[in-house]
Amino acid sequence: MILGIGTDLANIDRIQGTLDRFGDRFRNRVFTDIEQHKAERRADTAGTYAKRWAAKEACSKALGTGLRMGIAWRDMAVSNLDTGQPVMQVTGWAAERLATMTPDGHEAIIHVTLTDDHPWAQAFVVIEARPRQEGAAQP
């Protein structure tokens, strides 16, 4: 069952301007160390940050809160599997919100997809609840 859907569109040039203006203050407020490391290794640093910005916005919408109600930017983080597939992890208040949304006997799965075509970066997040398998290990 679908618990939430969120999308966001970010302007890469706007993110570049924010990086130019606020630098580490912006990076450290919004992005985890892993996200910063990934972005700083890429040729399109601003595009990488913009996709992750959009993913955080989309995730907060899928959680049904937007970036109000206590969710911090760094409570939502995008990393990549070895295949390159992006994955979203939530901690702090975002994880608490996800737990309250998830029906008993289910586990929440956060699906995320990212794309960009300068000057735009876009993210979609779908939060799914799957029934837990009998005998499966509990997190």
Side-chain angles (χ1 to χ4, degrees), residues 35-64:
E35 290 173 315
Q36 290 181 48
H37 182 69
K38 172 85 172 182
E40 296 301 325
R41 290 187 336 220
R42 303 295 294 260
D44 184 14
T45 302
T48 302
Y49 279 124
K51 286 185 280 190
R52 279 148 179 77
W53 170 280
K56 291 167 186 274
E57 287 274 8
C59 185
S60 71
K61 293 170 185 176
L63 289 168

Side-chain angles (χ1 to χ4, degrees), residues 38-117:
K38 172 85 172 182
E40 296 301 325
R41 290 187 336 220
R42 303 295 294 260
D44 184 14
T45 302
T48 302
Y49 279 124
K51 286 185 280 190
R52 279 148 179 77
W53 170 280
K56 291 167 186 274
E57 287 274 8
C59 185
S60 71
K61 293 170 185 176
L63 289 168
T65 65
L67 282 161
R68 301 177 184 172
M69 300 176 67
I71 291 181
W73 286 104
R74 292 172 58 107
D75 284 350
M76 301 166 287
V78 176
S79 61
N80 296 85
L81 300 177
D82 290 340
T83 61
Q85 176 185 348
V87 292
M88 175 75 69
Q89 299 88 26
V90 293
T91 58
W93 198 89
E96 292 173 22
R97 170 68 180 156
L98 182 59
T100 64
M101 293 171 60
T102 306
D104 290 339
H106 289 72
E107 63 179 334
I109 310 295
I110 302 174
H111 303 277
V112 59
T113 186
L114 309 172
T115 191
D116 65 296
D117 186 7

